[in-house]
Amino acid sequence: MQDFITITDDLGREVTIPFPPKRILSTVPSTTEFLFDLGLEGKIISRTRFCKYPKGKIEKLPNIGGPKDLYLDKIRLLDPDLILANKEENNKTQIEALMEEFPVYVCKVGNFEEALQNILNTGKITGSETKAFEIANQIRAGFAKIPKIDQPLKVLYLIWKNPYMTVGTDTFINSLLEKCGLLNIISDTEKRYPKLSPEEIQDLHPDVVLLSSEPFPFSASHQSEIQKLLPNAKIELVDGEMFSWYESHLLKASNYLTELIHKLIKNS
């Protein structure tokens, strides 16, 4: 006889899930990677087209489309007993449609502490609680070792071009900037991803500009463009995954961010 658990997701919905779930479908690349790190390889039944890790394994899974344009008919054929989704990264209409047919757990991760709690929650509902605690503890220990900057640097973190877009204070990326002792020069608490003109960027006078590799793939040519706008600022290309993937990828992020801080301190 199948057991079930009922848990409240981050939208406040009660979700009843077969326990432990045997056919798990992730709609977010970072979550797919995390499921593998939890040791659930035999239970992961799909990938999005943006899933990258673990290399050599992820490619063998059926492609269910992108987080915001899922192939719903294909998902129905896969018949998951648990779907993991994210409030910000997925299309609300599509996820609500799936909720009518399958157990869907939706997370909402806005800062570092919420990321750790989501790791524990995911471990609980997938029957891998012990491994989830281990990962969360390792992440916390790694981030505790990130060096502190005595004089916080004012940072502009860009995620898009044409128009330029940055991150406000109510974002997970902002939370990681704070963990590094970096001061987000954007203090907007209402707009999560404000748009900026080149003139507005110049008026901000940041000490550092971080150009993310995702969702827009900033490159060296864009770095030169921003340097012309801000000749006195330090312009760095950064791995967006290290700032925005909020599960087990954080195990890698602490070392990456430590190296970035050392580089910024050295060149400031």
Side-chain angles (χ1 to χ4, degrees), residues 93-117:
T93 301
Q94 287 196 318
I95 295 302
E96 288 177 345
L98 291 171
M99 288 174 179
E100 297 293 323
E101 303 176 53
F102 306 101
V104 180
Y105 180 92
V106 182
C107 72
K108 179 184 176 184
V109 178
N111 57 53
F112 181 75
E113 291 301 326
E114 289 178 359
L116 294 185
Q117 186 59 53

Side-chain angles (χ1 to χ4, degrees), residues 136-154:
N137 287 335
Q138 288 176 349
I139 290 170
R140 190 179 292 282
F143 270 75
K145 295 177 182 178
I146 294 178
K148 301 294 185 291
I149 300 177
D150 294 333
Q151 186 66 36
L153 297 172
K154 294 181 293 182

Side-chain angles (χ1 to χ4, degrees), residues 206-210 227 230 232-236 263-264 267:
D207 299 314
V208 176
V209 179
L210 301 180
Q227 192 71 76
L230 299 165
N232 297 320
K234 177 66 178 175
I235 318 297
E236 290 286 344
K263 186 175 183 181
L264 293 178
N267 296 324

